Amino acid sequence: MDLLDDSTPSNAPEFSVSELTGSIKRTLEGAFGRVRVRGELGRVMRARSGHYYYDLKDDKNVISCTTWKGQVAGLGIEPEEGLEVIVTGRLSTYGPQSRYNLNVDAMEVAGEGALMAMLEKRRKALAAEGLFDAARKRSLPYLPNVIGVVTSPSGAVIRDILHRLRDRFPRTVLIWPVAVQGQGSAQQVARAIRGFNDLPDHGGAIARPDLIIVARGGGSLEDLWGFNEEIVVRAAADSAIPLISAVGHETDTTLIDHAADRRAPTPTAAAEIAVPVRAELLSWVTAQAGHLTRAITGATGLRRQRLDDLARALPRREALFDTARQRLDRQADALGPALLRNVQIKRQIARDVSAALRPVLDRRLAQARVRLSRTSGQLSVGRIAERLAAQRQALARVDLARGIRRGIETRQTQLSAAARLLQSLGYEETLKRGYAVIRADQKIVTSAEKAKIAARLEIQFADGRVTLGPNAPGKRSPSRPDKPGQGDLFDA
């Protein structure tokens, strides 16, 4: 019988879409579990959330892969397109798109050839950014006070560095312990370099190093791979503190060597580069001090001899002053007669000037006397009296009455205007709008308490005044109402 015949009902169970995809997911994950797959990384995308989405392919097929943000640190290497790798993870499905994918939590490069190809590609990319330029490299301090060492706290590397520093020139050493290989080693090394740079220059609890040494022993390309990671190279290039790279043996080269300010072939050589030999430095300083002393002594002796030669060539001190002393004596002897002759000359000049000025002064005095006589003649009493009489006649002709009347009229006009203004601003105009003024003993009452104790009240309206109180003329006693509690308005 044909099972596909539509006329025959089927006994197969029915599944919902979610049930079917869930069954496929359980079957796939149960059948495979964790798997290791080798292939080439295709499209690689890192989301803003930190998750990685990429393809793993060979010449025929492609598998979608994911690595969640929390798994990135355990990958060991950063996914890059075109890199041949071996990944480890679990197969799973994604029901909304009917796809299966591999969740990768470990990744390693498939073979040294692939590592070398990826290393060369990364080196060219970082070099194109200028991270390896010689202009970026800083000179090392001649004698650093504090040296920071980034390395593993266990092993021969740190012991060799400390031993060589102690032999050459003991310095303060700060050790930042890190893992120098394996998962997470690159992040630890980069964090150590940036951590040393973040220490305060002055006043901090921990002194900031003047020099950083990044060191580890030799090993294979895979062992040294952490020092080829981009995060380490960028941290070394960005370091404001001069940095020495001492990774591996002399034949080992990593990308941090290109970004460092100085490369040392071995960790021990890094200690030798960092500080001079103390004994040699003391010997050199002593020799320089001897050279300086001899140079100063020789220069002083030469100058003293030159001074003595010049002093012998000079004449005696007494001979230098003899001529000047004789000239001073002659000038002193001639000074008295010269002053006397000068005084006589000045006196004669004064007499000559006085004789020449006397006729001129006499003539000007005579002229002044003539002008004075002429002016005094013009100041007679008769003329003054005539002028005074003329002024009195002019004054009499002035109409004083008319001026006084005009002044009075002006003042009256001003007074009328002021009166009208006073009337418009006075309180009488306010009374016309329904208000009243209450007085007691000719004083204005402004509160009910004062009105109660007043013996007599006078109320002023706009059309007249009314007097209230026991002694008011024509006042009749008001009858009290029979209702309790009703008192007299004027009851004290």
Side-chain angles (χ1 to χ4, degrees):
M1 182 175 60
D2 188 2
L3 295 178
L4 299 178
D5 188 1
D6 294 339
S7 62
T8 305
S10 174
N11 294 326
E14 293 183 354
F15 294 96
S16 67
V17 175
S18 297
E19 289 174 345
L20 182 60
T21 56
S23 178
I24 294 173
K25 178 181 178 68
R26 288 190 297 273
T27 301
L28 185 63
E29 292 178 354
F32 289 94
R34 287 182 62 82
V35 294
R36 284 170 53 86
V37 185
R38 179 171 181 161
E40 179 183 337
L41 292 179
R43 171 192 57 85
V44 178
M45 183 188 72
R46 182 171 185 174
R48 292 184 178 181
S49 59
H51 308 321
Y52 275 99
Y53 300 94
Y54 49 93
D55 295 332
L56 186 66
K57 62 182 180 178
D58 57 14
D59 56 345
K60 296 179 181 180
N61 295 289
V62 178
I63 299 177
S64 297
C65 301
T66 58
T67 299
W68 308 124
K69 179 180 179 180
Q71 299 172 321
V72 172
L75 285 182
I77 62 174
E78 185 175 354
E80 294 184 12
E81 185 175 353
L83 183 64
E84 187 176 358
V85 295
I86 300 174
V87 299
T88 303
R90 293 181 180 276
L91 276 175
S92 183
T93 63
Y94 183 59
Q97 296 184 0
S98 299
R99 296 173 58 186
Y100 70 93
N101 64 80
L102 182 62
N103 177 231
V104 177
D105 55 18
M107 182 182 296
E108 56 186 285
V109 179
E112 186 172 343
L115 275 178
M116 293 299 296
M118 184 175 68
L119 179 62
E120 182 62 19
K121 178 182 177 182
R122 184 175 295 172
R123 186 191 67 79
K124 290 181 179 180
L126 295 176
E129 295 184 26
L131 299 185
F132 303 154
D133 291 347
R136 294 175 56 94
K137 300 183 183 299
R138 293 161 294 274
S139 59
L140 304 182
Y142 179 73
L143 185 61
N145 292 323
V146 180
I147 300 175
V149 180
V150 179
T151 188
S152 173
S154 60
V157 171
I158 187 61
R159 290 196 298 271
D160 291 344
I161 292 176
L162 294 177
H163 178 72
R164 184 52 57 96
L165 289 175
R166 187 166 50 250
D167 288 346
R168 291 176 65 85
F169 207 122
R171 297 281 85 187
T172 301
V173 178
L174 297 178
I175 302 174
W176 196 301
V178 296
V180 293
Q181 71 181 60
Q183 296 181 356
S185 62
Q187 288 78 9
Q188 293 185 31
V189 173
R191 190 161 49 247
I193 295 173
R194 298 191 185 278
F196 275 138
N197 279 271
D198 291 339
L199 291 176
D201 290 337
H202 304 287
I206 301 177
R208 188 171 187 258
D210 303 311
L211 179 68
I212 298 176
I213 299 176
V214 180
R216 71 144 285 160
S220 63
L221 181 61
E222 291 81 359
D223 294 338
L224 303 178
W225 188 254
F227 297 92
N228 292 316
E229 292 291 353
E230 183 176 346
I231 186 175
V232 175
V233 177
R234 293 190 181 277
D238 295 339
S239 175
I241 303 174
L243 186 143
I244 299 177
S245 172
V247 178
H249 298 304
E250 187 171 359
T251 56
D252 298 324
T253 302
T254 57
L255 294 183
I256 192 177
D257 296 335
H258 300 290
D261 298 302
R262 184 78 174 272
R263 177 183 182 267
T266 62
T268 303
E272 295 175 354
I273 295 173
V275 295
V277 178
R278 186 173 185 273
E280 294 177 357
L281 183 60
L282 288 175
S283 176
W284 179 83
V285 171
T286 302
Q288 294 299 319
H291 294 327
L292 182 61
T293 301
R294 288 191 294 273
I296 293 175
T297 302
T300 304
L302 290 175
R303 283 165 175 74
R304 182 179 293 109
Q305 182 64 38
R306 178 62 175 166
L307 181 60
D308 293 339
D309 295 341
L310 292 175
R312 284 194 295 270
L314 291 174
R316 294 182 302 104
R317 182 178 56 184
E318 292 78 5
L320 291 175
F321 292 105
D322 286 344
T323 304
R325 186 180 295 112
Q326 293 176 4
R327 187 166 58 251
L328 179 61
D329 292 340
R330 287 196 300 270
Q331 295 294 336
D333 294 339
L335 182 60
L339 289 176
L340 182 58
R341 285 195 303 271
N342 192 22
V343 170
Q344 292 174 354
I345 292 171
K346 297 298 182 183
R347 286 177 179 176
Q348 184 60 40
I349 293 173
R351 285 194 296 269
D352 295 343
V353 171
S354 177
L357 289 178
R358 183 175 298 277
V360 177
L361 292 176
D362 291 342
R363 187 169 54 255
R364 289 190 177 182
L365 181 58
Q367 293 174 355
R369 286 175 176 174
V370 170
R371 287 196 301 271
L372 180 60
S373 298
R374 187 181 302 118
T375 304
S376 61
Q378 295 175 355
L379 294 178
S380 63
V381 178
R383 291 185 178 182
I384 295 175
E386 292 175 359
R387 188 171 184 179
L388 181 60
Q391 294 293 334
R392 285 176 178 174
Q393 292 176 2
L395 180 62
R397 288 195 296 270
V398 176
D399 191 357
L400 296 179
R402 186 174 56 183
I404 293 173
R405 285 195 302 272
R406 187 177 302 169
I408 293 173
E409 291 174 357
T410 302
R411 298 297 186 276
Q412 287 177 347
T413 302
Q414 294 175 350
L415 182 60
S416 299
R420 289 193 298 272
L421 180 61
L422 177 62
Q423 184 179 1
S424 63
L425 298 178
Y427 72 95
E428 288 83 357
E429 294 297 323
T430 305
L431 296 179
K432 293 179 181 180
R433 296 198 298 271
Y435 292 90
V437 179
I438 301 175
R439 295 184 178 87
D441 297 333
Q442 301 302 320
K443 295 181 180 179
I444 296 177
V445 179
T446 59
S447 65
E449 293 297 330
K450 292 181 179 180
K452 289 180 180 181
I453 62 175
R456 181 178 179 182
L457 294 177
E458 182 185 69
I459 303 175
Q460 179 183 356
F461 297 96
D463 56 350
R465 300 190 181 192
V466 176
T467 303
L468 300 177
N471 300 324
K475 178 181 179 298
R476 290 177 296 179
S477 299
S479 59
R480 295 179 178 269
D482 297 335
K483 293 182 181 181
Q486 180 67 34
D488 190 351
L489 174 63
F490 302 99
D491 189 4

